[in-house]
Amino acid sequence: MRILMVGAGATGGYFGARLAQAGRDVTFLVREGRWQQLREHGLILQTPEGRDLITPQLIKAEQLAEPYDAIILTVKSFGLAQALDDITPAVGAQTLIVPILNGMRHIDTLRARFGDRVIGGLCKINATLGERGEVVQMTPLHKLYYGALDGQNNARLQQLDATLKGAGFDTVFTEDILSELWEKWLLLSTLGAVCCLGRGNTQQVLRSQGGEALLHGIFTEVLAVIAAEGYQERPANTANIYQMLNNPQVAMTSSMFRDLTQGYAIEADQVIGDLLARGARNSVNTPLLNAVYVNLQVYQQQR
């Protein structure tokens, strides 16, 4: 399958590089600055195992002229609107669109534009961009999840699975991608909220008086909101998520917290604000999430 990787940041750069290394037909859709950087230096992949250099296939939005078999979207949520316009020439009748974005709002946006071409997707990876644009994988975790939103993984999706698996990262082809999406949101929103409000990693928060109560309170609010929105709780999974977050021996941070500490734009509306909106329409009380969102909005005003 011909794959268009939209974005070559930490997420798109990592999974796209692995696909390229495995001989898959992958092209990166990038903007001018990243285009120049990758043309000059190549795509540098720094992992716990070592350092690799990939010469990527690159394309700009104005050069797109024919459909791709699969489009993997790895832009930040606030870049989604522009990405929708950019990828339109690459969307054909059989194209599968796999969004790897935070939260859930983007699914409705994408389906309104492209219908049932949109499937569910998410990743689990600890990665960031280095000072010179290199993709830095901070831990060995590198897992990509995907599947039909209605659970009907047809032959086209099976072809996508065959293309993605065995490409140097772990894959999960699932008939319950919606549960995975809800649980990823539970994890990332709780982690982001705790770190951003506490202005530190989870270890620092948990070692602070009232830190565990803060974590538990935010986690409980998020879980109540997503349950009201249709998430059928898988207790063992939610217990594992909480146990992972509530470990004072491990210092965890979220990408939103890292972006905030570096003065970058953050996905406050998509990760936290959307939870507040969903909670309000279901009469779920969310005072801690409200406090977090006010905090993040003040940061956004000060940028």
Side-chain angles (χ1 to χ4, degrees), residues 133-168:
E134 66 272 27
V135 175
V136 181
Q137 181 195 21
M138 296 177 285
T139 70
L141 179 66
H142 55 182
K143 188 175 291 188
L144 191 65
Y145 294 70
Y146 45 90
L149 291 166
D150 63 2
Q152 302 299 312
N153 288 330
N154 59 27
R156 188 67 171 158
L157 273 79
Q158 292 168 24
Q159 185 182 7
L160 175 67
D161 177 50
T163 301
L164 296 177
K165 68 183 180 183

mmCIF file of all heavy atoms in Angstrom, residues 133-168:
data_model
loop_
_atom_site.group_PDB
_atom_site.id
_atom_site.type_symbol
_atom_site.label_atom_id
_atom_site.label_comp_id
_atom_site.label_asym_id
_atom_site.label_seq_id
_atom_site.Cartn_x
_atom_site.Cartn_y
_atom_site.Cartn_z
ATOM 1 N N GLY A 133 16.049 18.748 15.090
ATOM 2 C CA GLY A 133 14.962 18.107 14.356
ATOM 3 C C GLY A 133 15.031 16.599 14.316
ATOM 4 O O GLY A 133 14.227 15.960 13.628
ATOM 5 N N GLU A 134 15.956 16.003 15.059
ATOM 6 C CA GLU A 134 16.036 14.553 15.096
ATOM 7 C C GLU A 134 14.878 13.985 15.920
ATOM 8 O O GLU A 134 14.408 14.613 16.869
ATOM 9 C CB GLU A 134 17.374 14.080 15.664
ATOM 10 C CG GLU A 134 17.627 14.393 17.124
ATOM 11 C CD GLU A 134 18.268 15.749 17.362
ATOM 12 O OE1 GLU A 134 18.077 16.667 16.529
ATOM 13 O OE2 GLU A 134 18.949 15.902 18.405
ATOM 14 N N VAL A 135 14.406 12.803 15.542
ATOM 15 C CA VAL A 135 13.354 12.120 16.288
ATOM 16 C C VAL A 135 14.020 11.309 17.391
ATOM 17 O O VAL A 135 14.835 10.421 17.116
ATOM 18 C CB VAL A 135 12.522 11.209 15.365
ATOM 19 C CG1 VAL A 135 11.513 10.404 16.177
ATOM 20 C CG2 VAL A 135 11.813 12.033 14.298
ATOM 21 N N VAL A 136 13.690 11.616 18.632
ATOM 22 C CA VAL A 136 14.307 10.964 19.786
ATOM 23 C C VAL A 136 13.272 10.069 20.465
ATOM 24 O O VAL A 136 12.280 10.550 21.019
ATOM 25 C CB VAL A 136 14.851 11.994 20.789
ATOM 26 C CG1 VAL A 136 15.520 11.287 21.969
ATOM 27 C CG2 VAL A 136 15.813 12.958 20.109
ATOM 28 N N GLN A 137 13.502 8.770 20.415
ATOM 29 C CA GLN A 137 12.658 7.811 21.125
ATOM 30 C C GLN A 137 13.267 7.618 22.505
ATOM 31 O O GLN A 137 14.383 7.125 22.652
ATOM 32 C CB GLN A 137 12.596 6.481 20.367
ATOM 33 C CG GLN A 137 11.703 5.442 21.036
ATOM 34 C CD GLN A 137 11.913 4.040 20.496
ATOM 35 O OE1 GLN A 137 12.963 3.750 19.919
ATOM 36 N NE2 GLN A 137 10.935 3.164 20.691
ATOM 37 N N MET A 138 12.513 7.980 23.555
ATOM 38 C CA MET A 138 13.081 8.033 24.894
ATOM 39 C C MET A 138 13.027 6.698 25.630
ATOM 40 O O MET A 138 13.821 6.455 26.544
ATOM 41 C CB MET A 138 12.382 9.126 25.704
ATOM 42 C CG MET A 138 12.625 10.520 25.132
ATOM 43 S SD MET A 138 11.745 11.821 26.025
ATOM 44 C CE MET A 138 10.073 11.564 25.438
ATOM 45 N N THR A 139 12.079 5.841 25.276
ATOM 46 C CA THR A 139 11.967 4.504 25.868
ATOM 47 C C THR A 139 11.672 3.517 24.745
ATOM 48 O O THR A 139 11.302 3.914 23.645
ATOM 49 C CB THR A 139 10.844 4.434 26.925
ATOM 50 O OG1 THR A 139 9.577 4.540 26.260
ATOM 51 C CG2 THR A 139 10.983 5.550 27.958
ATOM 52 N N PRO A 140 11.782 2.217 25.000
ATOM 53 C CA PRO A 140 11.531 1.247 23.924
ATOM 54 C C PRO A 140 10.070 1.151 23.476
ATOM 55 O O PRO A 140 9.780 0.498 22.465
ATOM 56 C CB PRO A 140 11.985 -0.081 24.545
ATOM 57 C CG PRO A 140 12.942 0.299 25.628
ATOM 58 C CD PRO A 140 12.409 1.579 26.173
ATOM 59 N N LEU A 141 9.141 1.773 24.204
ATOM 60 C CA LEU A 141 7.724 1.692 23.856
ATOM 61 C C LEU A 141 7.474 2.274 22.467
ATOM 62 O O LEU A 141 7.855 3.409 22.176
ATOM 63 C CB LEU A 141 6.891 2.457 24.886
ATOM 64 C CG LEU A 141 5.374 2.501 24.664
ATOM 65 C CD1 LEU A 141 4.757 1.117 24.813
ATOM 66 C CD2 LEU A 141 4.732 3.495 25.632
ATOM 67 N N HIS A 142 6.837 1.487 21.583
ATOM 68 C CA HIS A 142 6.482 1.975 20.239
ATOM 69 C C HIS A 142 5.352 1.106 19.692
ATOM 70 O O HIS A 142 5.591 0.131 18.991
ATOM 71 C CB HIS A 142 7.692 2.004 19.303
ATOM 72 C CG HIS A 142 8.413 0.701 19.187
ATOM 73 N ND1 HIS A 142 9.544 0.531 18.425
ATOM 74 C CD2 HIS A 142 8.178 -0.526 19.743
ATOM 75 C CE1 HIS A 142 9.968 -0.714 18.501
ATOM 76 N NE2 HIS A 142 9.154 -1.369 19.290
ATOM 77 N N LYS A 143 4.115 1.495 20.014
ATOM 78 C CA LYS A 143 2.969 0.654 19.684
ATOM 79 C C LYS A 143 1.942 1.475 18.917
ATOM 80 O O LYS A 143 1.598 2.596 19.319
ATOM 81 C CB LYS A 143 2.357 0.083 20.971
ATOM 82 C CG LYS A 143 1.282 -0.954 20.749
ATOM 83 C CD LYS A 143 0.818 -1.564 22.078
ATOM 84 C CE LYS A 143 1.880 -2.434 22.710
ATOM 85 N NZ LYS A 143 1.346 -3.181 23.894
ATOM 86 N N LEU A 144 1.453 0.902 17.814
ATOM 87 C CA LEU A 144 0.448 1.540 16.973
ATOM 88 C C LEU A 144 -0.818 0.695 16.980
ATOM 89 O O LEU A 144 -0.771 -0.509 16.714
ATOM 90 C CB LEU A 144 0.979 1.691 15.542
ATOM 91 C CG LEU A 144 0.177 2.555 14.574
ATOM 92 C CD1 LEU A 144 0.168 4.011 15.035
ATOM 93 C CD2 LEU A 144 0.755 2.454 13.160
ATOM 94 N N TYR A 145 -1.952 1.333 17.316
ATOM 95 C CA TYR A 145 -3.252 0.675 17.362
ATOM 96 C C TYR A 145 -4.108 1.184 16.203
ATOM 97 O O TYR A 145 -4.081 2.374 15.882
ATOM 98 C CB TYR A 145 -3.999 1.018 18.653
ATOM 99 C CG TYR A 145 -3.394 0.516 19.932
ATOM 100 C CD1 TYR A 145 -2.209 1.052 20.443
ATOM 101 C CD2 TYR A 145 -4.036 -0.465 20.682
ATOM 102 C CE1 TYR A 145 -1.676 0.612 21.639
ATOM 103 C CE2 TYR A 145 -3.522 -0.913 21.894
ATOM 104 C CZ TYR A 145 -2.338 -0.376 22.359
ATOM 105 O OH TYR A 145 -1.807 -0.809 23.558
ATOM 106 N N TYR A 146 -4.936 0.313 15.627
ATOM 107 C CA TYR A 146 -5.832 0.741 14.558
ATOM 108 C C TYR A 146 -6.942 -0.286 14.380
ATOM 109 O O TYR A 146 -6.804 -1.460 14.772
ATOM 110 C CB TYR A 146 -5.076 0.941 13.235
ATOM 111 C CG TYR A 146 -4.109 -0.179 12.913
ATOM 112 C CD1 TYR A 146 -4.516 -1.286 12.183
ATOM 113 C CD2 TYR A 146 -2.786 -0.138 13.383
ATOM 114 C CE1 TYR A 146 -3.619 -2.318 11.910
ATOM 115 C CE2 TYR A 146 -1.901 -1.164 13.120
ATOM 116 C CZ TYR A 146 -2.327 -2.256 12.389
ATOM 117 O OH TYR A 146 -1.456 -3.290 12.131
ATOM 118 N N GLY A 147 -8.049 0.169 13.824
ATOM 119 C CA GLY A 147 -9.189 -0.714 13.588
ATOM 120 C C GLY A 147 -10.399 0.100 13.182
ATOM 121 O O GLY A 147 -10.457 1.324 13.380
ATOM 122 N N ALA A 148 -11.383 -0.567 12.594
ATOM 123 C CA ALA A 148 -12.614 0.096 12.170
ATOM 124 C C ALA A 148 -13.373 0.608 13.385
ATOM 125 O O ALA A 148 -13.460 -0.060 14.419
ATOM 126 C CB ALA A 148 -13.477 -0.866 11.366
ATOM 127 N N LEU A 149 -13.950 1.799 13.250
ATOM 128 C CA LEU A 149 -14.684 2.390 14.364
ATOM 129 C C LEU A 149 -15.928 1.595 14.715
ATOM 130 O O LEU A 149 -16.372 1.609 15.867
ATOM 131 C CB LEU A 149 -15.049 3.844 14.028
ATOM 132 C CG LEU A 149 -13.858 4.812 13.974
ATOM 133 C CD1 LEU A 149 -14.253 6.122 13.297
ATOM 134 C CD2 LEU A 149 -13.304 5.077 15.370
ATOM 135 N N ASP A 150 -16.485 0.878 13.740
ATOM 136 C CA ASP A 150 -17.662 0.049 14.016
ATOM 137 C C ASP A 150 -17.296 -1.398 14.335
ATOM 138 O O ASP A 150 -18.163 -2.255 14.491
ATOM 139 C CB ASP A 150 -18.641 0.091 12.839
ATOM 140 C CG ASP A 150 -18.058 -0.495 11.555
ATOM 141 O OD1 ASP A 150 -16.913 -0.971 11.576
ATOM 142 O OD2 ASP A 150 -18.771 -0.461 10.528
ATOM 143 N N GLY A 151 -15.997 -1.684 14.436
ATOM 144 C CA GLY A 151 -15.544 -3.025 14.770
ATOM 145 C C GLY A 151 -15.491 -3.993 13.613
ATOM 146 O O GLY A 151 -15.073 -5.142 13.786
ATOM 147 N N GLN A 152 -15.892 -3.549 12.410
ATOM 148 C CA GLN A 152 -15.928 -4.435 11.241
ATOM 149 C C GLN A 152 -14.641 -4.274 10.433
ATOM 150 O O GLN A 152 -14.558 -3.449 9.519
ATOM 151 C CB GLN A 152 -17.158 -4.108 10.381
ATOM 152 C CG GLN A 152 -18.471 -4.227 11.119
ATOM 153 C CD GLN A 152 -18.726 -5.631 11.649
ATOM 154 O OE1 GLN A 152 -18.580 -6.612 10.913
ATOM 155 N NE2 GLN A 152 -19.107 -5.733 12.920
ATOM 156 N N ASN A 153 -13.639 -5.034 10.780
ATOM 157 C CA ASN A 153 -12.345 -4.934 10.104
ATOM 158 C C ASN A 153 -12.372 -5.736 8.801
ATOM 159 O O ASN A 153 -12.087 -6.935 8.775
ATOM 160 C CB ASN A 153 -11.226 -5.416 11.032
ATOM 161 C CG ASN A 153 -10.952 -4.444 12.162
ATOM 162 O OD1 ASN A 153 -11.140 -3.241 12.017
ATOM 163 N ND2 ASN A 153 -10.517 -4.958 13.298
ATOM 164 N N ASN A 154 -12.703 -5.052 7.730
ATOM 165 C CA ASN A 154 -12.896 -5.704 6.436
ATOM 166 C C ASN A 154 -11.568 -5.997 5.740
ATOM 167 O O ASN A 154 -10.480 -5.761 6.298
ATOM 168 C CB ASN A 154 -13.808 -4.847 5.545
ATOM 169 C CG ASN A 154 -13.243 -3.453 5.300
ATOM 170 O OD1 ASN A 154 -12.029 -3.244 5.329
ATOM 171 N ND2 ASN A 154 -14.118 -2.488 5.048
ATOM 172 N N ALA A 155 -11.657 -6.478 4.503
ATOM 173 C CA ALA A 155 -10.462 -6.888 3.767
ATOM 174 C C ALA A 155 -9.504 -5.732 3.540
ATOM 175 O O ALA A 155 -8.279 -5.916 3.547
ATOM 176 C CB ALA A 155 -10.866 -7.509 2.426
ATOM 177 N N ARG A 156 -10.047 -4.540 3.340
ATOM 178 C CA ARG A 156 -9.186 -3.373 3.128
ATOM 179 C C ARG A 156 -8.351 -3.087 4.381
ATOM 180 O O ARG A 156 -7.164 -2.792 4.294
ATOM 181 C CB ARG A 156 -10.053 -2.166 2.770
ATOM 182 C CG ARG A 156 -9.276 -0.928 2.332
ATOM 183 C CD ARG A 156 -8.570 -1.152 1.031
ATOM 184 N NE ARG A 156 -8.005 0.098 0.494
ATOM 185 C CZ ARG A 156 -7.010 0.125 -0.381
ATOM 186 N NH1 ARG A 156 -6.476 -1.011 -0.805
ATOM 187 N NH2 ARG A 156 -6.558 1.262 -0.826
ATOM 188 N N LEU A 157 -8.969 -3.175 5.534
ATOM 189 C CA LEU A 157 -8.234 -2.957 6.775
ATOM 190 C C LEU A 157 -7.255 -4.081 7.043
ATOM 191 O O LEU A 157 -6.172 -3.848 7.605
ATOM 192 C CB LEU A 157 -9.195 -2.792 7.951
ATOM 193 C CG LEU A 157 -9.691 -1.358 8.188
ATOM 194 C CD1 LEU A 157 -10.800 -1.013 7.208
ATOM 195 C CD2 LEU A 157 -10.167 -1.163 9.614
ATOM 196 N N GLN A 158 -7.595 -5.278 6.636
ATOM 197 C CA GLN A 158 -6.668 -6.389 6.784
ATOM 198 C C GLN A 158 -5.430 -6.193 5.913
ATOM 199 O O GLN A 158 -4.314 -6.560 6.303
ATOM 200 C CB GLN A 158 -7.377 -7.700 6.457
ATOM 201 C CG GLN A 158 -8.441 -8.082 7.479
ATOM 202 C CD GLN A 158 -9.341 -9.199 7.019
ATOM 203 O OE1 GLN A 158 -8.953 -9.993 6.163
ATOM 204 N NE2 GLN A 158 -10.548 -9.278 7.557
ATOM 205 N N GLN A 159 -5.629 -5.564 4.759
ATOM 206 C CA GLN A 159 -4.489 -5.244 3.910
ATOM 207 C C GLN A 159 -3.603 -4.191 4.574
ATOM 208 O O GLN A 159 -2.367 -4.272 4.527
ATOM 209 C CB GLN A 159 -4.979 -4.733 2.549
ATOM 210 C CG GLN A 159 -3.859 -4.479 1.543
ATOM 211 C CD GLN A 159 -4.382 -3.923 0.225
ATOM 212 O OE1 GLN A 159 -5.559 -3.600 0.096
ATOM 213 N NE2 GLN A 159 -3.496 -3.797 -0.746
ATOM 214 N N LEU A 160 -4.253 -3.203 5.214
ATOM 215 C CA LEU A 160 -3.492 -2.198 5.956
ATOM 216 C C LEU A 160 -2.695 -2.850 7.083
ATOM 217 O O LEU A 160 -1.515 -2.538 7.285
ATOM 218 C CB LEU A 160 -4.437 -1.144 6.528
ATOM 219 C CG LEU A 160 -3.799 -0.080 7.423
ATOM 220 C CD1 LEU A 160 -2.862 0.816 6.615
ATOM 221 C CD2 LEU A 160 -4.866 0.759 8.129
ATOM 222 N N ASP A 161 -3.330 -3.756 7.798
ATOM 223 C CA ASP A 161 -2.650 -4.463 8.882
ATOM 224 C C ASP A 161 -1.424 -5.210 8.370
ATOM 225 O O ASP A 161 -0.352 -5.172 8.984
ATOM 226 C CB ASP A 161 -3.632 -5.422 9.553
ATOM 227 C CG ASP A 161 -2.983 -6.252 10.643
ATOM 228 O OD1 ASP A 161 -2.303 -5.676 11.509
ATOM 229 O OD2 ASP A 161 -3.142 -7.485 10.615
ATOM 230 N N ALA A 162 -1.570 -5.880 7.225
ATOM 231 C CA ALA A 162 -0.448 -6.623 6.654
ATOM 232 C C ALA A 162 0.703 -5.693 6.283
ATOM 233 O O ALA A 162 1.876 -6.079 6.338
ATOM 234 C CB ALA A 162 -0.912 -7.398 5.423
ATOM 235 N N THR A 163 0.362 -4.460 5.912
ATOM 236 C CA THR A 163 1.388 -3.486 5.538
ATOM 237 C C THR A 163 2.114 -2.925 6.762
ATOM 238 O O THR A 163 3.325 -2.696 6.730
ATOM 239 C CB THR A 163 0.748 -2.329 4.753
ATOM 240 O OG1 THR A 163 0.106 -2.849 3.583
ATOM 241 C CG2 THR A 163 1.784 -1.300 4.331
ATOM 242 N N LEU A 164 1.367 -2.717 7.837
ATOM 243 C CA LEU A 164 1.938 -2.067 9.005
ATOM 244 C C LEU A 164 2.683 -3.006 9.936
ATOM 245 O O LEU A 164 3.688 -2.620 10.545
ATOM 246 C CB LEU A 164 0.834 -1.348 9.796
ATOM 247 C CG LEU A 164 0.128 -0.181 9.089
ATOM 248 C CD1 LEU A 164 -0.981 0.371 9.965
ATOM 249 C CD2 LEU A 164 1.122 0.920 8.723
ATOM 250 N N LYS A 165 2.214 -4.229 10.052
ATOM 251 C CA LYS A 165 2.866 -5.121 11.008
ATOM 252 C C LYS A 165 4.203 -5.615 10.451
ATOM 253 O O LYS A 165 4.421 -5.656 9.239
ATOM 254 C CB LYS A 165 1.951 -6.287 11.366
ATOM 255 C CG LYS A 165 1.663 -7.284 10.275
ATOM 256 C CD LYS A 165 0.673 -8.332 10.793
ATOM 257 C CE LYS A 165 0.352 -9.363 9.724
ATOM 258 N NZ LYS A 165 -0.657 -10.343 10.197
ATOM 259 N N GLY A 166 5.095 -5.952 11.362
ATOM 260 C CA GLY A 166 6.421 -6.401 10.953
ATOM 261 C C GLY A 166 7.301 -5.303 10.415
ATOM 262 O O GLY A 166 8.236 -5.568 9.661
ATOM 263 N N ALA A 167 7.017 -4.070 10.820
ATOM 264 C CA ALA A 167 7.782 -2.931 10.295
ATOM 265 C C ALA A 167 8.653 -2.266 11.356
ATOM 266 O O ALA A 167 8.984 -1.090 11.255
ATOM 267 C CB ALA A 167 6.826 -1.900 9.677
ATOM 268 N N GLY A 168 9.007 -3.009 12.393
ATOM 269 C CA GLY A 168 9.937 -2.468 13.376
ATOM 270 C C GLY A 168 9.286 -1.811 14.573
ATOM 271 O O GLY A 168 9.967 -1.196 15.399
#
